[in-house]
Amino acid sequence: MTLPNIARFAQTKGLNVVGTGDFTHPKWLMELKEELVEFEDSHLYVIRGSKMVKFALSAEVNTVFEFKGSARKVHHVIMAPDFDVVDQINDAISEFGDLAADGRPSLDITPAHLVEILHSISKDIVIFPSHAWTPWYGVFGSVSGFDSIEDCYGDKSDEIFAIETGLSSDPPMNWRLSKLDRFSLVSNSDAHSPWPWRLGREANVFRLERLSYEEIVDAIRSKDPSRFRLTIETDPAYGKYHWSGHRDCGVAMPGDRAIAIGNICPKCGRPLTKGVEQRVEELADRPRGFVPKGAIPFVHALPLSEVIAKALGSSSPSSSGVWKTYNSLVSRFGNEFEVLLRADPEEIA
């Protein structure tokens, strides 16, 4: 999507700040520089001539490296305060991968080395693991992940202060690991697609005296509940990685059942892909339902277009009937989050 379209759909969703994504890609970075200007010395950006939706400079990268004889692939979110810093980031990491090959480039570098490079450029750069529990690219993923942040980031783990829950997990799942108590749990939509309903399907809610990059980062870093109010989460059971199984075999099952049958597919006899539920169970040292002191609240919500599609029996959230209803509701209540989180059900009906 173009920047104006992203801004338009963000406003329809009820989002005030959106990550640019992909600032590592030369073409997208050129477009960002051409179309965005800084908003009131906030290190947030707006489209020229518009002040409605702010953009934070962000990107996602994939680190590919070897650890204890095994190949590992872990995704990370990077946030930067300004374009000068972005240019320095891109110049530094281009040594480890082709930035023009993909919007989310693969870098032949360890996470610890990546953190060292970024923070040698600026301490205002933020890096944290993306969608932490997805099997293949999450820091705790069952296929190429680790059992702890320390194993992944090594002697730079103390410079990581947040974890992205991702669509495949939510705060209650992460709260079951006491070793994650020191981290803020952030929730982002991971919207690597042209489909507008995927923007803002997960989000962070702040109450700040001044909207700025530094205030957002500090609210997350400090886990201050007066400023970091809550996260909006897709129910993990809705995601494709929740249960263990084999997609080709049509097999899916809860984690405890997969454990009971030795994690072997009943159809083909090969090991099952461990779902996130099972992976959390393996690492958890607390029972289900545990809530740590000072935890940031959360709510579960599905994208409104998908809820409408289900209600109408439509095969796709992009159908004209779904969007007619969607636009009617948004027009009545102001934006999607107002419909999902605040509007009275009788009024919606």
Side-chain angles (χ1 to χ4, degrees):
M1 285 192 289
T2 63
L3 277 170
N5 277 337
I6 292 173
R8 180 164 62 90
F9 283 115
Q11 193 172 349
T12 301
K13 285 277 184 171
L15 298 167
N16 296 327
V17 181
V18 180
T20 58
D22 301 351
F23 69 50
T24 54
H25 196 282
K27 181 177 182 296
W28 182 236
L29 178 58
M30 182 175 66
E31 292 181 17
L32 294 176
K33 288 182 175 180
E34 288 175 351
E35 297 190 42
L36 296 180
V37 293
E38 188 175 2
F39 177 72
E40 296 179 352
D41 298 320
S42 63
H43 289 145
L44 298 174
Y45 293 78
V46 293
I47 297 174
R48 295 179 189 276
S50 172
K51 296 183 179 180
M52 294 301 296
V53 175
K54 315 304 186 290
F55 288 86
L57 302 179
S58 68
E60 185 177 357
V61 301
N62 173 34
T63 51
V64 183
F65 57 102
E66 188 172 299
F67 180 80
K68 294 184 177 179
S70 298
R72 307 293 177 120
K73 298 179 180 180
V74 179
H75 287 181
H76 317 262
V77 173
I78 300 173
M79 297 175 61
D82 57 53
F83 283 114
D84 285 342
V85 170
V86 165
D87 287 338
Q88 292 179 67
I89 291 172
N90 290 348
D91 186 54
I93 66 175
S94 64
E95 177 184 341
F96 304 96
D98 182 1
L99 303 190
D102 190 7
R104 179 179 50 212
S106 290
L107 308 175
D108 293 324
I109 188 175
T110 66
H113 192 188
L114 177 61
V115 173
E116 181 181 11
I117 289 172
L118 295 178
H119 287 167
S120 69
I121 295 170
S122 171
K123 292 296 184 182
D124 291 328
I125 296 171
V126 174
I127 177 172
F128 54 83
S130 312
H131 42 75
W133 293 91
T134 55
W136 282 274
Y137 300 105
V139 66
F140 300 127
S142 60
V143 178
S144 65
F146 298 83
D147 290 348
S148 70
I149 292 292
E150 288 71 22
D151 284 344
C152 180
Y153 289 95
D155 61 358
K156 298 299 178 181
S157 61
D158 61 342
E159 297 178 41
I160 305 299
F161 59 83
I163 294 172
E164 184 182 82
T165 58
L167 301 170
S168 54
S169 80
D170 63 4
M173 296 168 73
N174 289 269
W175 292 340
R176 295 190 62 196
L177 281 70
S178 60
K179 60 188 173 186
L180 301 186
D181 285 355
R182 76 175 181 87
F183 299 99
S184 285
L185 302 178
V186 296
S187 190
N188 305 305
S189 62
D190 199 23
H192 296 280
S193 82
W195 305 114
W197 61 83
R198 289 180 175 167
L199 186 68
R201 55 189 170 175
E202 297 207 336
N204 307 286
V205 180
F206 300 96
R207 181 179 292 161
L208 306 174
E209 288 189 14
R210 179 174 182 266
L211 185 56
S212 70
Y213 175 89
E214 287 78 10
E215 280 288 309
I216 291 172
V217 170
D218 190 62
I220 296 172
R221 187 194 300 271
S222 64
K223 295 177 65 174
D224 179 358
S226 68
R227 292 182 293 159
F228 191 0
R229 302 296 291 172
L230 61 102
T231 59
I232 299 171
E233 311 270 345
T234 298
D235 191 322
Y238 192 69
K240 61 183 177 180
Y241 298 124
H242 188 60
W243 277 0
S244 301
H246 269 169
R247 188 177 302 173
D248 291 344
C249 294
V251 171
M253 64 186 70
D256 54 359
R257 185 182 167 200
I259 293 171
I261 64 171
N263 208 53
I264 297 298
C265 178
K267 281 196 174 181
C268 71
R270 293 181 291 116
L272 295 167
T273 299
K274 290 181 184 178
V276 175
E277 184 183 67
Q278 181 178 348
R279 181 65 172 147
V280 169
E281 200 66 48
E282 289 178 348
L283 299 183
D285 60 349
R286 288 167 171 166
R288 293 173 186 258
F290 184 90
V291 180
K293 184 178 179 181
I296 302 296
F298 75 98
V299 294
H300 280 146
L302 290 176
L304 179 58
S305 54
E306 297 194 29
V307 176
I308 294 170
K310 190 72 174 177
L312 297 181
S314 175
S315 61
S316 171
S318 64
S319 71
S320 59
V322 169
W323 281 105
K324 181 180 178 181
T325 304
Y326 180 95
N327 289 331
S328 175
L329 288 170
V330 168
S331 176
R332 170 67 181 84
F333 295 101
N335 61 59
E336 179 173 329
F337 284 141
E338 286 291 333
V339 179
L340 289 172
L341 304 178
R342 296 191 181 95
D344 183 272
E346 291 186 6
E347 262 193 281
I348 292 174

